Amino acid sequence: MAGSDVLPYVYRLTKYDPADRDEHGNYIGAAEATSDHGPVEEAYLQAVAAFAVDAGIDQLAIREPQIAGLVHFGLEPAVSGHGLTGIFPPDLTGYHDGATVPMAIGLELVRAMLRDNGAWCRLEVEGAFAVHVGWDQYVYVGTNTPSGRAVAHTRALGLFPERLDASPYDAALDEQDGEQRPADDDFWARLHWSVAGAAILEECFVGNASRWHRLTSDTVDAVRARLTPRAQLTVWPDLSPDVDTVLADLPDEGLVEVVWERENGQITSVIADETQFAELAEQVHGARAATVLSLYTDQRHPLLTAVLPDSDGVLRARWRTEPTPSDRNWAILKTLRRGQVCTGTVTEIAGFGVTFVDIGGFIAMINIPELSWRHINHPSDVVAVGQEIAAEILDVDMVRERVSLSLKALQEDPMQALVQQVGQIITGRVTKLVPFGAFVRIEDRDDGFEGLVHNSELAERHVERPEGVVQVGGTLTVKILDVDPTRRRIVLSHTQALAANSDGPGPR
């Protein structure tokens, strides 16, 4: 199997100013972790283009293409605004491992990935160039030559290039031990023998999607001729013509994949759980044949698996044919849903503030803002390694095999209670001064919520800087003007508190 060599010059391009990080390495600046669909996004694309120019690259190869969510290859209308709409046809022709695209199309794929808009892939020129888009708007560019002009241009665009040893999305770093079985002449000879009766072939040339073919001894060669380059192939037992029995044997609960052949010969599949079985039965009604495939690794029993080599016989695709930790993760991920409550054990608290939780064999994560409604300095303020917790699933990312959890989603937001206190006058302790005002804790507890008293609300006179009026540790009488739980903001006023209560204590 061909792996990818680590390029000697690798840069992480980011819109996040390294100065905007706290002592734990957490980003505390104002930039959002999503695309602005505007000048910042264009800056990323221009930076990537600049590195390509420095490296003399005008075409890129697509590697390990994936989509977020299952597709049906043209059975559904294209979704307006989807990341691949207008770049590739609805059946994703041309979006496969090894496909070469001009730089302009490569940049549009980068745009789709920056927007988390339904697609992900590596863009590479073997041994010379690579572009990988990571989560939270990080872009990794690798070259085999120095790129001084591109680095300078990236800075001029307002982005921050940082030299790294390697991209965390290098395929070599993702590889696990295991065998790849090439779909060579021996494989096809064995397949001919195996389908003396019939079988179905699952063709996966885009991660998270499948295209199906009915196989008989008479159709194997024709199917082989129209397969997409470098596809991963899985051969399953044939569909059953007794569709009613197939549907009657659906499990009482859990996720399954139902595959069926329509009257026109088209084969499709749907993943569903027990809440969707009734609707699914209507879809399958009138089908020629059908089958149900388990989504659990220990219950999946394909007849054959293989990966298509290139025309020269070399196996360059990195898809795998043997069970790996990634395969087990995939099986687990398909059982999880957004909003589901799960239990798990805290396995690690990383230095950058992410908490990792084992939820039945899969390691999910909790970002620090999802640990508590209140401000915390470190996850260890809330959880400990080895602790059993319950959390809500915020997102299941099938592309990056990532599950995000929230501890606070199962708790009531204590800020909601403060909404009822708008208009009240209280005395709190000053906790922090910023150029535009002072923060005052309005609850009598160490992790109590803090509100902002803007300079214009600190005194009747003009206030240039808050330290001319108050000091950290002192107390201040304030009126609660507004509590916004959604934006996590509390607005306070000292001058309005004095006007409402002229005898109220001032700062001291």
Side-chain angles (χ1 to χ4, degrees), residues 177-503:
D177 293 336
E179 178 189 357
Q180 276 192 316
R181 187 175 296 113
D184 52 17
D185 289 340
D186 290 340
F187 167 82
W188 291 104
R190 184 180 176 192
L191 183 57
H192 266 289
W193 176 82
S194 300
V195 298
I200 53 174
L201 174 68
E202 180 180 7
E203 174 195 7
C204 176
F205 65 87
V206 177
N208 207 22
S210 296
R211 179 155 57 186
W212 297 88
H213 309 272
R214 194 88 182 264
L215 296 178
T216 68
S217 56
D218 296 329
T219 62
V220 169
D221 292 337
V223 169
R224 179 183 181 182
R226 64 174 184 265
L227 292 174
T228 306
R230 299 191 182 181
Q232 182 186 42
L233 309 178
T234 307
V235 182
W236 299 95
D238 193 24
L239 303 174
S240 168
D242 191 350
V243 177
D244 291 340
T245 299
V246 170
L247 295 175
D249 289 341
L250 286 169
D252 293 334
E253 60 181 18
L255 283 169
V256 296
E257 184 168 16
V258 179
V259 187
W260 71 94
E261 183 180 31
R262 302 174 186 271
E263 284 294 334
N264 62 4
Q266 193 172 48
I267 301 177
T268 190
S269 68
V270 167
I271 293 176
D273 62 16
E274 66 278 2
T275 65
Q276 301 162 305
F277 286 169
E279 179 184 347
L280 179 61
E282 294 183 12
Q283 287 184 266
V284 180
H285 179 72
R288 287 181 181 176
T291 192
V292 175
L293 301 178
S294 173
L295 295 179
Y296 299 95
T297 301
D298 58 351
Q299 298 175 17
R300 291 173 67 85
H301 305 294
L303 301 176
L304 295 170
T305 58
V307 178
L308 280 175
D310 288 353
S311 58
D312 59 3
V314 177
L315 187 58
R316 295 186 177 90
R318 299 169 185 139
W319 310 118
R320 296 192 170 275
T321 58
E322 297 295 331
T324 67
S326 180
D327 293 325
R328 290 192 293 273
N329 289 347
W330 176 248
I332 294 172
L333 285 170
K334 285 188 174 181
T335 69
L336 304 177
R337 298 186 295 275
R338 183 180 298 177
Q340 180 180 342
V341 176
C342 63
T343 58
T345 304
V346 177
T347 60
E348 180 187 359
I349 298 176
F352 50 91
V354 173
T355 300
F356 294 96
V357 184
D358 185 336
I359 54 171
F362 184 88
I363 302 300
M365 65 182 188
I366 309 178
N367 287 313
I368 195 167
E370 295 300 326
L371 284 168
S372 174
W373 289 105
R374 297 183 179 277
H375 173 74
I376 60 174
N377 293 316
H378 193 264
S380 58
D381 296 341
V382 179
V383 295
V385 173
Q387 180 180 347
E388 297 284 337
I389 64 169
E392 181 177 307
I393 296 176
L394 290 183
D395 187 55
V396 180
D397 189 332
M398 304 298 288
V399 171
R400 297 179 179 89
E401 294 187 359
R402 188 175 69 190
V403 174
S404 302
L405 305 178
S406 174
L407 206 61
K408 72 179 187 183
L410 300 182
Q411 308 163 0
E412 289 190 16
D413 181 1
M415 188 178 281
Q416 294 288 350
L418 294 180
V419 175
Q420 308 304 318
Q421 298 185 34
V422 171
Q424 293 189 15
I425 297 173
I426 63 166
T427 299
R429 190 163 300 280
V430 178
T431 60
K432 182 170 59 176
L433 302 181
V434 292
F436 48 87
F439 284 90
V440 177
R441 183 176 295 136
I442 62 172
E443 290 180 296
D444 188 20
R445 49 187 294 166
D446 291 340
D447 62 354
F449 288 115
E450 300 173 0
L452 174 66
V453 184
H454 193 271
N455 285 343
S456 62
E457 298 291 337
L458 274 174
E460 294 292 341
R461 69 179 191 278
H462 176 70
V463 176
E464 284 286 349
R465 300 186 66 84
E467 53 264 35
V469 181
V470 294
Q471 299 296 322
V472 171
T475 58
L476 190 69
T477 299
V478 295
K479 181 178 181 179
I480 301 176
L481 300 184
D482 184 58
V483 177
D484 187 341
T486 301
R487 302 171 69 190
R488 314 308 291 172
R489 292 182 181 179
I490 300 173
V491 181
L492 308 174
S493 172
H494 176 57
T495 57
Q496 293 189 40
L498 294 179
N501 182 7
S502 59
D503 295 328

